[in-house]
Amino acid sequence: MLPYILRRLVLALVTLWLLATIVFLVANVLPNDVGRTILGPFAPQETVDALNAELGTDDPMLAQYGRQMKALVTFDYGDSYQSKRPVWGILSGPLWRSAKLAFYALVMTVPIAVAAGMFAARKRDRLSDRTIVLAGLASSSIPEFVTGSILAVVFGVAFGWFPVLASFPPGTSVVSQLRFLFLPALSMSVVYFGYIARMMRASTIRALEADYTRTAVMKGLSQSQVMRTHVLRNAMGPTISVISVQVGYLFGGIIGVEKVFNYNGLGQTVLIAAKAKDLPLLQASVVIIGIVYMLSTLLADIVIAWLNPRARLELGS
Amino acid sequence: MDEELVSTPGSDQVVDLSRSGPVTMQMTVLQQAAVERKQARRERWQLLRRRPGFLIGAGISLFWVVCAVLYDRITPFDPFDDLSTPLARPGGEHWFGTDQIGRDVLSRVMAGSRDVLVIAPISAVISVVTGTLLGLVMGYYRGLVDDVLSRIVEAFLALPVVLVGLLALVTFGSSEPENGFLRWTLKILTLGASEPVVVIVVAVLFTPIVARTVRAAVMAERDLDYVTSARLRGETNLFIMTREILPNIVGPIVVELTVRIGYAIFTVATLSFLGVGVQPPSPDWGLIISDHYSLMNGGIWWPTLFPALAIASLVIAVNLIADSIQAVNDR
Amino acid sequence: MTDTHSPDEPRRSTVATEVPPALAVEDLEVAYVVRGIPRQVLRGVSFHVAPGEAYGLVGESGCGKSTTAYSALRYLPRNGRITGGRVLVDGSDITSMSDAELREFRASKASMVYQDPGSALNPTIKVGPQVVEAFRILGQSKTEAQTSALHALQRVRIADPARVLGRYPHQLSGGMLQRVVIAMALACNPRLLVLDEPTTGLDATVEAEVLDLVRALRTDTDSAILLIAHNLGVIRSMCDRVGVMYAGTVVEEGDASQIFDRPQHPYTVGLLRALPRRGLRKTERSLATIPGALPQIGADLPGCVFVDRCELATHECRTVPPPVVDLGDGRSSRCHHIDRIPEIREPEAGAVVASEGETVLQIAGVSKTFRQSGHDVPALVGVDLSLADGETLGLVGESGSGKSTLAKAILGIHAPDAGGELTLDQRQLATKISKRSSDDKRAMQIVFQNPDSALNSAWTVRKILRRSVQKLTGLNQQAADDRVAVLADHLRLSPRHLDLKPSQLSGGLKQRVAIARAFAGDPRIVVCDEPTSALDVSVQAAILNLLAELQAEQRTSYVFISHDLGVVRYLADRIAVMYLGRIMEIGATDDVFAGPHHPYTEALLSAVPSVDGEPSTRIRLDGEIPSPANPPSGCVFHPRCPRFIEGTCDREEPPMVEVSLGHVIRCHIPPDELRVLQARTAAAADATEVDAVADSVVSDEPR
């Protein structure tokens, strides 16, 4: 097991390096003038040049790339171009907020989605199954900002049950934070419900059709016994994979929801950093999102191995 | 279990002449086979037509396609005309109300399918073409080529698609590049779509995802004996990949295409909402929402809700079609 | 219909009349819904199984035997419906049971053992809890159930039950898993035990062990057994009575030996004549085939279900369903023309003459070592072989013996290790296919086991054949088309077949296309890798006939791989027996079968359940084939060898000893001594009963 985890970590580092390189290439593929972007179109050329020299953004590409790689290794991204404050200082707030929202959404989604998927599989092709499948399909294919907008109109504007803006003032109590964050978390939850429920349904059906389930049924076990002891464990594996991928995306992929509810999370930070060509801030946020993704998928694979000894065997070799 | 339990398209179209029988018998058996084949296809089509999901999906999609093509004839108002009262409530003359500069929301929503219905399918097609090529190479050669490409694909997948699209579009800008050569290359690649950069960015982002699907399908095929047989008669790798394996994985590729169109709509709408996709004055749905969502707090809900419902309806419709095709194929 | 079914005389039970049959299937009708339309698969199946009796259902794939078996426990696929008739187990009708009653019934009265034991157990749970579960359901406490589980595994002769209980299914071999499944099935001491292809997919030696076990267990339970198997030898050796099914109907029923020796239905006659029985060789006569194909499921069959393929069919057969004719002694047949059965012709004698020609292919010192997670795994070790012009060399051995690796090494798919030499017509062959000249590629082709995988399903038959012809012969388009037409004609593919895709053809036709492709460039050698294993008996017969005819005409040499010794005996001129990548015995077919054989060959031969009911010698092998990564010292066969000599076999590599001209055995025991020992065993087998041998227990050696 340990060698496997080590190998996965090494691979994760390679992926991280590729990730940083991709971001660097995307940000630099067209000639751009960071100084001009920051200072605006009316600043005198000398000031812009001076700023570029100060930031090192007039250095050759390779030198800039070298600095990025050094930052990746030392994990020291220095100061933001834009605000001159340390990158980690700027990031810590949004990171914490994103984590809170992601966790909230996950807790809301996973139990319901898993239960719905199993239920649908058992009622396969009946009305309740078709309903769950269609609801999952619809909810997961609508962009988050659309769901968010509709939820905001209905529950925020029409009924007034929840605040339309999620940015709560400092010092808000946890319970009332939950109220502020309810609509954004629900918007995310609606999207990921579909993914998880559909995967759970598919893997439950696969397990229900497997020979070992037939063996269990023929033993005379009741349906709930069969589900609990034989189906659930086998069906959870693929679902856990899906959930783990979503965890990574929940951290950075919900810019739409953050924007609709005016919530300053990691996504908004990336948006701002990208628009401002604030490369240190951008790189650091992307690397963080990548790390979250890789850790959650690694954790998922370990859990799957624990659930299924055959997967364990594959990991060992 | 017996074959009959898994009555697949293969086993229900069976002809056998274990021993050469009289010619007349062969004819009837063969004609029977052809008839049964046609019948199976007809039954499948009927099955598709009987699926309410497919009908609803096709109906909604058709509605939006008609709007996209004929919007200037069927919208009640000119979607670009800003002469009415701004932010009029729904009702009366303007069923869906007016937006903040006085344009009719209903007309704009109807015209709003235009850009997304061009961008999404084209980018989906491009991503499926490139992803298929990539997936073929990865799945067929395995080994080092596959390892290297897989790492790159994995790196792409580690970030949410919308995030990478955002980065790319912020850098490139979504409008057409000034360089003439580049502009024309893009025009041709994207079949003259109005936002060529968006098309290309979405296509590039989807490529690794398609490649992963195709790779898995190729891996399953390349272990089959017909591939060995082709090597035994001295076929080149290129021939085996493109002529032997590719025709066999068309099914999953078609399904992937329909699914990708759905996600492309999702992605294009989101990018427009974030202000880096389709640019004003287009009546693109994401754009309308982006312009008006901040007014929701003040009770101005109509310019946000209607385009949101429009996006939802189109995305659901496309997914219903994709889902139905997949379900019928799997039978 | 029921009037012709007299209640069967229970053969083993002491109380005859009052006891209800363990299983009574009455006029059972089942339909499957395919693409929205229900299609009938069982058309009024009726039969009884008495307590303690073993009843076999035979028939080719698609005849409904598995559906019948699963109906007996009311476990149909989701699209399956019982549309008529009843199924009574131990007197109670299971078609009308509630879900709770059905559960209770499955827990206490009926059990099932399935094909593919590898997937029958939950991969995420250890074996122990799964066996315990079968006892817990009977109301036992946790500790009671644990003790019962231990006993259950002992009962199925597992040497170290405690250790097996602590393992995960994937850590056990197929034979061991099947024992565990049987142990679970017997937990409730069921009235009815359904065995669905219980040994299909297992190696012959393992199959023999499992069958021995079931036979032995029958003596201490009074469970009735319903056995489904496509292997007629298995049915004959296991069952008291047999039902022959065709197109969802039982067409003939009766005592096992009666059915197999004096069939009374045209279908049964055809089925049995399609088998190479009683040591039949291709030089004696070709095999009988059954023309035509099984009707589609759901087809409307107003008359006799077999009418389209029957030699005796008359107008009456098309319109009037045949009666169930009672032939006495519990025998019945569903035929209008039982009196005309003897008219059915047998194929004419002496179709093929074996030939001896010059050496085409010479293999010297060929080894193949795979690298597997850092370990060297020798799959072939120093193989020497020669193949003559127009000769068929049979390759036999259990899975993992290296048969297929040898074939692939010859073809250049897996290049053998450096040092080995392949010579074709006195020319040295490149080891890799990509390095071979087009003439060499043309000279050697292959027919695979599974035509579904071997033919590109996106291409038409014409395209498949034309591409091979062009690539192998270099003919231009027009000439290639002509050649395709000639080839198709030769293989009895009609011109219209050429425009169909493989998925529209039956298994037999597909295999014909695969053979046509192999013959596209007039090959010198064709490797046939289990070419008939995926086919039904009657189709297998047609393919074997075809292969023999093609060889006689074209003097092609075959390397014929098969696990079916009857088939190999029919077709092969010489046989090589492989074990752990080595050839243990090679010689002319008659010599190898006559003996003296290598002890491994002896075990393989005695493992085959015979459809002719001959008593076979009972040599059983212990354990599983060892891992090639870690072969035993001395003679690689010594750990399983029943004639193992301590101090010799485990230390020294055995020599190759020539028994007679061209018949060579790799064994320490001199041939004469082997002859004596083997004659003695055969004599003993005639005398003793099964139980003595079945006592041997298997140990849980890691695979």
Side-chain angles (χ1 to χ4, degrees):
Chain A
M1 202 64 181
L2 199 65
Y4 167 76
I5 295 175
L6 285 176
R7 211 180 57 212
R8 276 289 299 261
L9 285 175
V10 171
L11 283 181
L13 287 180
V14 173
T15 309
L16 221 49
W17 163 70
L18 278 168
L19 204 67
T21 306
I22 291 171
V23 172
F24 179 82
L25 287 177
V26 168
N28 287 291
V29 70
L30 290 182
N32 58 50
D33 191 336
V34 176
R36 178 61 69 194
T37 314
I38 293 173
L39 295 173
F42 305 114
Q45 188 59 39
E46 302 87 72
T47 328
V48 171
D49 289 345
L51 182 60
N52 273 334
E54 186 199 331
L55 298 174
T57 42
D58 56 354
D59 290 350
M61 263 319 134
L62 216 56
Q64 293 193 43
Y65 180 65
R67 272 207 302 277
Q68 288 302 327
M69 289 306 109
K70 189 172 161 238
L72 178 66
V73 174
T74 57
F75 227 65
D76 177 10
Y77 279 91
D79 293 346
S80 147
Y81 287 169
Q82 185 84 34
S83 65
K84 306 280 169 57
R85 285 164 47 213
V87 163
W88 293 123
I90 299 175
L91 268 180
S92 62
L95 183 60
W96 172 237
R97 280 189 288 273
S98 278
K100 230 177 344 193
L101 189 54
F103 183 73
Y104 193 3
L106 269 182
V107 169
M108 266 165 80
T109 320
V110 173
I112 300 173
V114 166
M118 281 183 79
F119 179 77
R122 269 172 66 172
K123 304 280 175 198
R124 194 174 166 194
D125 288 346
R126 305 234 202 104
L127 185 66
S128 44
D129 172 38
R130 298 307 309 162
T131 314
I132 290 174
V133 168
L134 285 181
L137 184 66
S139 71
S140 67
S141 49
I142 301 171
E144 297 99 352
F145 78 94
V146 173
T147 321
S149 305
I150 297 173
L151 288 174
V153 168
V154 176
F155 294 107
V157 180
F159 296 151
W161 292 348
F162 297 98
V164 173
L165 296 180
S167 43
F168 45 84
T172 312
S173 74
V174 177
V175 178
S176 130
Q177 281 187 25
L178 288 180
R179 214 173 77 83
F180 272 99
L181 291 182
F182 182 76
L183 284 183
L186 183 63
S187 318
M188 286 150 66
S189 178
V190 163
V191 174
Y192 293 113
F193 168 84
Y195 286 108
I196 298 169
R198 277 160 73 88
M199 177 49 85
M200 189 65 197
R201 174 182 179 270
S203 54
T204 306
I205 285 175
R206 210 172 308 138
L208 280 173
E209 284 178 349
D211 285 357
Y212 56 80
T213 304
R214 178 180 63 192
T215 310
V217 171
M218 295 289 209
K219 274 180 192 167
L221 297 178
S222 70
Q223 200 178 22
S224 65
Q225 278 171 311
V226 172
M227 292 302 274
R228 215 173 40 239
T229 31
H230 295 280
V231 173
L232 183 61
R233 212 178 157 107
N234 283 285
M236 272 318 282
T239 313
I240 290 173
S241 288
V242 167
I243 295 173
S244 74
V245 172
Q246 311 304 358
V247 170
Y249 290 177
L250 280 173
F251 262 74
I254 42 160
I255 313 172
V257 169
E258 291 180 13
K259 203 175 156 187
V260 168
F261 295 99
N262 198 13
Y263 188 68
N264 185 15
L266 219 46
Q268 291 268 64
T269 311
V270 173
L271 183 63
I272 293 160
K275 284 190 170 162
K277 301 255 187 283
D278 197 340
L279 206 55
L281 188 57
L282 187 62
Q283 283 275 8
S285 0
V286 166
V287 165
I288 280 289
I289 294 168
I291 288 175
V292 170
Y293 170 85
M294 275 174 282
L295 284 184
S296 69
T297 45
L298 174 63
L299 187 69
D301 285 349
I302 293 171
V303 172
I304 291 167
W306 172 74
L307 280 175
N308 187 342
R310 233 180 345 195
R312 218 175 295 165
L313 198 71
E314 280 153 25
L315 300 189
S317 66
Chain B
M1 278 197 209
D2 282 359
E3 275 172 20
E4 68 205 14
L5 297 191
V6 277
S7 187
T8 55
S11 63
D12 58 32
Q13 307 166 350
V14 164
V15 216
D16 195 356
L17 302 161
S18 293
R19 201 76 177 173
S20 57
V23 178
T24 49
M25 183 182 145
Q26 282 192 15
M27 302 267 280
T28 52
V29 170
L30 277 161
Q31 281 159 357
Q32 194 191 333
V35 169
E36 274 160 14
R37 200 166 74 243
K38 267 190 204 136
Q39 194 182 339
R41 204 178 300 148
R42 201 165 49 224
E43 280 169 11
R44 200 162 287 143
W45 170 235
Q46 272 166 359
L47 215 61
L48 197 59
R49 277 194 338 199
R50 276 215 306 266
R51 293 185 81 88
F54 178 78
L55 290 179
I56 296 171
I60 297 175
S61 304
L62 196 67
F63 171 76
W64 288 121
V65 169
V66 169
C67 284
V69 178
L70 300 174
Y71 71 93
D72 48 354
R73 297 204 203 139
I74 57 174
T75 52
F77 291 88
D78 179 353
F80 301 99
D81 176 31
D82 51 1
L83 295 177
S84 309
T85 328
L87 297 176
R89 286 194 156 265
E93 214 179 359
H94 300 284
W95 292 1
F96 285 6
T98 60
D99 70 2
Q100 56 186 357
I101 55 172
R103 291 171 298 196
D104 179 52
V105 172
L106 173 61
S107 304
R108 283 185 72 76
V109 167
M110 283 172 80
S113 62
R114 201 184 43 158
D115 283 316
V116 78
L117 277 182
V118 173
I119 296 173
I122 295 177
S123 53
V125 168
I126 296 175
S127 72
V128 166
V129 171
T130 51
T132 301
L133 293 178
L134 200 59
L136 270 175
V137 171
M138 289 164 72
Y140 184 75
Y141 286 103
R142 288 189 265 205
L144 190 67
V145 182
D146 185 33
D147 285 345
V148 171
L149 290 175
S150 290
R151 285 266 74 76
I152 296 174
V153 166
E154 171 78 6
F156 258 98
L157 294 176
L159 289 183
V161 165
V162 169
L163 192 75
V164 187
L166 175 79
L167 293 185
L169 287 172
V170 165
T171 312
F172 301 135
S174 60
S175 49
E176 294 174 18
E178 283 153 30
N179 180 320
F181 170 73
L182 205 60
R183 187 165 72 230
W184 281 106
T185 320
L186 279 179
K187 274 264 183 225
I188 293 164
L189 266 180
T190 60
L191 308 174
S194 59
E195 313 279 353
V197 184
V198 180
V199 173
I200 294 295
V201 165
V202 174
V204 169
L205 290 178
F206 283 178
T207 298
I209 305 173
V210 178
R212 200 169 50 166
T213 310
V214 174
R215 171 176 176 268
V218 173
M219 299 260 257
E221 288 291 321
R222 72 153 282 163
D223 285 332
L224 296 182
D225 292 332
Y226 74 85
V227 174
T228 310
S229 179
R231 286 200 301 172
L232 279 178
R233 61 170 192 265
E235 302 288 7
T236 61
N237 289 329
L238 183 68
F239 182 92
I240 296 178
M241 270 190 282
T242 56
R243 308 284 293 281
E244 297 262 6
I245 295 180
L246 187 57
N248 280 293
I249 54 172
V250 167
I253 291 176
V254 167
V255 170
E256 186 66 22
L257 177 65
T258 52
V259 171
R260 278 305 121 207
I261 292 176
Y263 281 112
I265 297 172
F266 186 118
T267 310
V268 171
T270 307
L271 291 173
S272 297
F273 173 71
L274 295 178
V276 293
V278 180
Q279 295 301 311
S282 165
D284 181 83
W285 297 326
L287 215 50
I288 306 180
I289 299 176
S290 175
D291 285 343
H292 297 93
Y293 77 95
S294 54
L295 303 177
M296 264 190 309
N297 217 11
I300 317 280
W301 50 269
W302 54 96
T304 300
L305 183 66
F306 293 118
L309 291 176
I311 294 176
S313 73
L314 179 61
V315 179
I316 291 171
V318 170
N319 275 287
L320 282 176
I321 294 174
D323 187 57
S324 305
I325 290 176
Q326 195 165 14
V328 171
N329 273 353
D330 286 351
R331 279 230 169 170
Chain C
M1 236 170 273
T2 35
D3 57 335
T4 47
H5 273 286
S6 59
D8 306 302
E9 296 301 315
R11 295 160 55 81
R12 305 166 65 92
S13 159
T14 44
V15 219
T17 40
E18 298 107 73
V19 181
L23 170 67
V25 177
E26 293 173 359
D27 253 332
L28 184 65
E29 290 178 13
V30 171
Y32 288 140
V33 179
V34 181
R35 288 195 302 273
I37 299 163
R39 307 178 198 235
Q40 203 173 17
V41 283
L42 295 188
R43 308 161 188 273
V45 172
S46 301
F47 64 92
H48 294 190
V49 186
E53 182 182 50
Y55 189 95
L57 277 181
V58 301
E60 295 177 286
S61 52
C63 71
K65 54 187 193 299
S66 280
T67 302
T68 310
Y70 281 85
S71 304
L73 275 83
R74 218 177 96 186
Y75 192 90
L76 286 172
R78 277 173 5 95
N79 62 341
R81 312 260 176 284
I82 293 179
T83 52
R86 296 197 305 168
V87 179
L88 299 150
V89 177
D90 205 21
S92 38
D93 182 2
I94 64 161
T95 54
S96 61
M97 280 182 183
S98 71
D99 283 356
E101 285 168 339
L102 192 62
R103 261 204 307 278
E104 168 64 26
F105 156 76
R106 286 177 183 152
S108 61
K109 287 214 171 141
S111 303
M112 191 153 183
V113 174
Y114 329 84
Q115 186 176 349
D116 192 9
S119 61
L121 293 178
N122 189 337
T124 60
I125 304 177
K126 284 181 181 168
V127 170
Q130 300 194 53
V131 180
V132 167
E133 198 176 48
F135 290 98
R136 294 277 286 158
I137 197 93
L138 300 171
Q140 296 190 2
S141 74
K142 206 158 190 174
T143 40
E144 275 173 346
Q146 266 156 358
T147 325
S148 304
L150 268 179
H151 288 313
L153 292 204
Q154 271 160 1
R155 192 175 171 203
V156 294
R157 293 169 178 57
I158 291 175
D160 191 355
R163 213 169 70 159
V164 170
L165 287 174
R167 296 201 161 213
Y168 284 104
H170 69 266
Q171 295 168 312
L172 302 174
S173 68
M176 186 68 69
L177 286 172
Q178 197 60 302
R179 278 165 199 270
V180 173
V181 174
I182 292 172
M184 294 195 308
L186 293 177
C188 63
N189 218 346
R191 305 293 301 148
L192 174 68
L193 177 62
V194 179
L195 306 170
D196 178 37
E197 301 276 4
T199 57
T200 306
L202 299 178
D203 270 316
T205 55
V206 182
E207 169 178 79
E209 282 177 32
V210 171
L211 294 180
D212 281 348
L213 172 69
V214 174
R215 252 181 240 121
L217 289 170
R218 279 191 64 193
T219 58
D220 54 59
T221 83
D222 66 342
S223 302
I225 288 178
L226 177 62
L227 174 64
I228 313 298
H230 70 283
N231 183 334
L232 299 177
V234 169
I235 296 277
R236 169 137 206 189
S237 70
M238 296 295 295
C239 295
D240 306 315
R241 286 197 314 128
V242 172
V244 181
M245 286 192 72
Y246 185 83
T249 313
V250 177
V251 292
E252 184 177 0
E253 186 183 39
D255 196 85
S257 58
Q258 295 263 341
I259 294 266
F260 285 110
D261 292 336
R262 276 184 301 282
Q264 289 295 326
H265 188 280
Y267 175 63
T268 321
V269 172
L271 196 62
L272 289 168
R273 285 197 189 151
L275 281 176
R277 296 176 74 178
R278 303 191 177 85
L280 185 71
R281 303 287 316 277
K282 65 182 170 189
T283 46
E284 293 167 42
R285 65 165 171 85
S286 53
L287 299 164
T289 57
I290 307 174
L294 198 70
Q296 304 283 319
I297 70 162
D300 187 29
L301 303 171
C304 170
V305 289
F306 188 58
V307 61
D308 283 338
R309 306 173 73 183
C310 185
E311 258 181 66
L312 307 177
T314 59
H315 182 68
E316 186 189 16
C317 301
R318 292 202 174 276
T319 48
V320 183
V324 180
V325 182
D326 191 347
L327 303 166
D329 268 351
R331 288 208 74 187
S332 61
S333 172
R334 223 178 242 261
C335 182
H336 284 296
H337 304 295
I338 290 189
D339 46 322
R340 287 173 52 210
I341 297 281
E343 286 174 30
I344 301 173
R345 286 162 291 150
E346 218 172 270
E348 281 152 37
V352 187
V353 184
S355 59
E356 273 181 40
E358 312 220 321
T359 301
V360 187
L361 179 74
Q362 188 80 46
I363 301 166
V366 165
S367 302
K368 173 70 195 174
T369 311
F370 291 105
R371 290 285 296 177
Q372 231 171 37
S373 47
H375 299 286
D376 278 340
V377 180
L380 281 182
V381 184
V383 171
D384 303 312
L385 267 184
S386 69
L387 188 62
D389 196 18
E391 178 190 50
T392 301
L393 173 72
L395 280 185
V396 299
E398 291 169 288
S399 53
S401 61
K403 301 174 300 215
S404 289
T405 312
L406 177 57
K408 285 181 178 153
I410 294 173
L411 291 165
I413 300 169
H414 292 328
D417 300 346
E421 269 193 18
L422 294 169
T423 340
L424 178 74
D425 288 329
Q426 271 82 51
R427 281 175 294 124
Q428 178 127 8
L429 268 179
T431 49
K432 259 191 184 158
I433 183 71
S434 51
K435 300 261 165 62
R436 289 188 185 171
S437 70
S438 49
D439 272 353
D440 288 342
K441 282 176 193 153
R442 179 180 180 173
M444 287 194 278
Q445 286 293 317
I446 184 167
V447 177
F448 292 100
Q449 169 174 2
N450 182 352
D452 287 321
S453 148
L455 301 176
N456 189 335
S457 49
W459 288 14
T460 61
V461 172
R462 186 188 303 283
K463 190 172 177 191
I464 291 170
L465 295 182
R466 190 205 283 146
R467 183 73 198 177
S468 274
V469 168
Q470 281 184 319
K471 204 63 196 169
L472 293 171
T473 62
L475 291 174
N476 65 26
Q477 179 95 23
Q478 180 58 45
D481 277 340
D482 292 346
R483 170 126 180 92
V484 167
V486 173
L487 260 180
D489 185 52
H490 234 88
L491 280 115
R492 295 194 204 92
L493 293 162
S494 93
R496 283 165 162 247
H497 287 140
L498 293 176
D499 295 313
L500 298 177
K501 290 192 173 172
S503 63
Q504 294 163 258
L505 304 175
S506 68
L509 277 174
K510 276 184 256 189
Q511 199 57 297
R512 256 166 227 256
V513 174
I515 294 171
R517 180 178 63 188
F519 276 86
D522 289 323
R524 305 276 284 131
I525 300 165
V526 172
V527 173
C528 303
D529 190 354
E530 304 262 11
T532 61
S533 304
L535 305 176
D536 276 317
V537 170
S538 64
V539 185
Q540 161 175 294
I543 295 293
L544 292 179
N545 286 345
L546 188 69
L547 285 172
E549 282 165 39
L550 283 169
Q551 183 172 53
E553 283 167 30
Q554 312 205 354
R555 296 189 59 77
T556 316
S557 307
Y558 293 146
V559 176
F560 190 90
I561 301 174
S562 180
H563 69 277
D564 185 330
L565 291 177
V567 167
V568 175
R569 188 174 194 175
Y570 177 76
L571 205 67
D573 303 301
R574 281 195 307 146
I575 288 181
V577 182
M578 295 190 69
Y579 187 78
L580 273 188
R582 294 152 176 86
I583 290 181
M584 306 307 275
E585 174 167 6
I586 185 166
T589 303
D590 288 332
D591 294 344
V592 170
F593 274 90
H597 351 262
H598 188 281
Y600 178 59
T601 314
E602 189 188 356
L604 277 183
L605 289 173
S606 77
V608 179
S610 167
V611 71
D612 300 318
E614 299 152 355
S616 60
T617 56
R618 301 213 162 266
I619 297 290
R620 289 293 184 257
L621 297 186
D622 288 346
E624 311 283 332
I625 208 166
S627 158
N630 195 8
S633 59
C635 174
V636 287
F637 185 56
H638 86 257
R640 302 173 74 195
C641 184
R643 311 200 183 281
F644 159 63
I645 309 167
E646 195 159 357
T648 309
C649 295
D650 50 352
R651 299 239 174 95
E652 292 157 42
E653 282 238 21
M656 294 294 276
V657 183
E658 187 153 43
V659 183
S660 57
L661 187 65
H663 182 197
V664 183
I665 291 177
R666 190 194 286 267
C667 187
H668 285 294
I669 308 173
D672 289 331
E673 202 174 315
L674 272 177
R675 199 191 312 271
V676 175
L677 286 169
Q678 285 164 358
R680 201 180 296 157
T681 319
D686 290 342
T688 53
E689 254 307 334
V690 193
D691 314 335
V693 214
D695 277 341
S696 64
V697 284
V698 288
S699 61
D700 164 36
E701 285 303 316
R703 276 188 287 177

